[in-house]
Amino acid sequence: MHVVFFADQHLESLGGAQVSMRLQRRFLERAGHTVTVVAPRMHGPRAREYERSDAYVDTPSVPITFDREYSFTWPGRRTDRFIDDALAARPPVDVVHVQADFWGALMGHRFAARHGLPVVHTMHNRVDVGIAATTPFPGLVLRVLNAWQRRMLRAIPGERRGHDGWSYLRGFATRSHAVTAPSSHFAQRLDAHGVVPGRRSAGVDVIWNGMDDDLLDAALAARAERVPGPARLIWLGRMSPEKRLLPFLDAVAESGVAADVEVLGGGGQSRAAARLVERRRPAASVTFGGRLSHAETLRRIAAADAVVQTSIGFETQGMTVFEAASLGTPSIVSDPDIGAELGSGHWPVADASTAALAATLRDAVADIDAGRAPEPDPGIAERFRQSSRTAAMLDVYERVLAP
């Protein structure tokens, strides 16, 4: 079949959803299917670095961040024509898979409506939490988003309207034949707020974001070669407020642990993070490794004694801790929902305070030094392989295509 992904950001840009979609595309193609990805054209240095592919339809865009990493495409008739022309020369489309929350979602649903195609919509983000963490007037922003959505998409009789983040997500779900979520806890939240497919009677399908089978095997081999030393903790992700990097670094300083702490990733808080470490001078050795390839990141996770994830209420899956568990690396987890889904193999943080995180860091380092770190569930590695995740998504595609 021919599946068309719609994304808010180009798949070669930084981000967990982009990593997941690149992997999905590769494994679908490996299974004999055709995948086209519609997303805003990239700008800046990374736009010149990635390998061009015929699978990408890069829509006209403008950069929206200072580092030019992320872009915006205005969804409208001109963009509709651009997408239609680009896809006209390709095989007929069978399924539209929207994996976006904003302009990518609007473009995808408009395309599906024009051509009478079934839509699978994967909800990757807690829109309300993300906007509250990154904008000064989140209520106003959500009102504008809901109004924008209603203007851009055809009205549906009996549609429930509202002004919050759940109403916004519900607007997309109502127009979808299937809705998927990357975790049980997020699926339960979606279901509780009526964010369920409107075109079929099925509820939200839980399909974890997966991990490259080959990279998993290679990283597992690297873990077997670890050498003893001080406790090695790794924090990785986008350096933005909702990820809570700065509270983590404050907790490292407050904890007094003598550990090797590596911070990977980039973003708007990178300079603030470096200044915080310089000012507080923690007992731990803190290094900033920047942005690494996914393969190298997995090797670093495999070599670590623990992965630290500090976001709360934002992650819809918390992919890094599942990658860690697949590699046998335990995690320090601030979000209780993610901890519950992860099961064994982590240290839970009692609450959102710096003091609680510092106390957990001390407990974790003591356990690691004493050789009593918790063991992750070994079954996660098999359930997390992308080959199994692709098989599950193909079942969803086939269901929405059924008469």
Side-chain angles (χ1 to χ4, degrees):
M1 65 182 73
H2 182 191
V3 182
V4 179
F5 290 174
F6 281 83
D8 284 325
Q9 297 302 330
H10 201 284
L11 265 57
E12 301 298 332
S13 64
L14 186 69
Q18 292 90 305
V19 169
S20 173
M21 291 174 71
R22 289 200 302 268
L23 199 54
Q24 291 174 49
R25 175 198 151 202
R26 186 151 61 84
F27 274 73
L28 282 168
E29 290 175 342
R30 184 180 291 184
H33 304 286
T34 300
V35 180
T36 300
V37 183
V38 180
R41 180 172 64 87
M42 286 185 71
H43 301 266
R46 289 174 63 84
R48 297 186 293 270
E49 294 171 0
Y50 80 89
E51 184 178 349
R52 297 296 189 271
S53 169
D54 290 338
Y56 292 145
V57 171
D58 297 350
T59 56
S61 69
V62 294
I64 56 173
T65 55
F66 290 119
D67 61 4
R68 300 171 69 83
E69 180 78 19
Y70 301 123
S71 308
F72 166 78
T73 291
W74 180 263
R77 292 180 181 176
R78 182 177 298 179
T79 301
D80 291 345
R81 288 194 297 270
F82 180 92
I83 295 169
D84 286 349
D85 290 345
L87 290 172
R90 302 180 186 222
V93 177
D94 296 291
V95 177
V96 172
H97 190 168
V98 175
Q99 304 198 54
D101 301 294
F102 304 108
W103 42 93
L106 294 171
M107 290 189 294
H109 279 277
R110 287 169 66 94
F111 177 81
R114 287 195 306 279
H115 298 280
L117 294 167
V119 180
V120 176
H121 194 133
T122 295
M123 303 286 180
H124 278 289
N125 294 308
R126 279 285 303 270
V127 170
D128 55 341
V129 175
I131 288 176
T134 56
T135 62
F137 304 106
L140 176 60
V141 171
L142 286 169
R143 281 180 172 271
V144 170
L145 282 175
N146 277 279
W148 187 35
Q149 182 189 73
R150 289 194 291 270
R151 179 184 174 187
M152 288 289 174
L153 301 181
R154 297 174 185 171
I156 294 179
E159 181 180 357
R160 293 169 56 191
R161 294 187 174 185
H163 306 291
D164 62 5
W166 298 113
S167 298
Y168 180 73
L169 293 179
R170 192 163 54 241
F172 291 128
T174 299
R175 293 165 172 81
S176 301
H177 296 72
V179 172
T180 76
S183 66
S184 296
H185 65 84
F186 189 43
Q188 290 164 4
R189 281 203 176 99
L190 292 171
D191 186 70
H193 289 88
V195 184
V196 295
R199 302 301 179 93
R200 295 286 172 92
S201 60
V204 178
D205 290 279
V206 178
I207 300 180
W208 286 3
N209 294 325
M211 184 174 177
D212 188 310
D213 298 37
D214 300 331
L215 292 182
L216 173 59
D217 292 335
L220 283 169
R223 182 167 178 79
E225 299 173 359
R226 290 190 310 160
V227 296
R232 287 162 290 187
L233 310 180
I234 183 170
W235 185 102
L236 60 159
R238 184 172 61 252
M239 296 181 182
S240 52
E242 73 276 7
K243 298 291 189 175
R244 301 182 68 239
L245 170 60
L246 301 186
F248 165 64
L249 295 174
D250 270 326
V252 169
E254 185 175 318
S255 70
V257 296
D260 290 339
V261 177
E262 185 174 30
V263 178
L264 298 181
Q269 291 192 322
S270 58
R271 291 183 180 178
R275 288 195 299 267
L276 188 155
V277 172
E278 185 177 357
R279 183 179 73 253
R280 298 214 57 181
R281 298 185 180 279
S285 169
V286 180
T287 58
F288 294 88
R291 295 167 174 166
L292 303 177
S293 69
H294 191 215
E296 180 58 27
T297 298
L298 293 178
R299 283 193 288 270
R300 300 291 179 92
I301 292 173
D305 293 299
V307 165
V308 184
Q309 187 174 80
T310 46
S311 58
I312 300 174
F314 174 73
E315 310 288 349
T316 54
Q317 180 182 17
M319 190 167 177
T320 55
V321 298
F322 286 90
E323 289 175 329
S326 297
L327 296 169
T329 302
S331 299
I332 296 167
V333 182
S334 293
D335 191 319
D337 287 337
I338 294 174
E341 186 138 5
L342 188 63
S344 63
H346 75 282
W347 293 270
V349 182
D351 55 53
S353 67
T354 301
L357 182 53
T360 305
L361 290 172
R362 285 191 291 269
D363 290 343
V365 170
D367 287 345
I368 292 166
D369 289 344
R372 56 172 184 264
E375 294 287 338
D377 177 359
I380 287 179
E382 291 307 313
R383 300 201 305 273
F384 202 52
R385 287 181 180 270
Q386 184 58 46
S387 53
S388 72
R389 303 302 83 214
T390 296
M393 191 61 77
L394 283 169
D395 287 343
V396 174
Y397 293 162
E398 290 168 0
R399 190 179 75 225
V400 301
L401 286 169

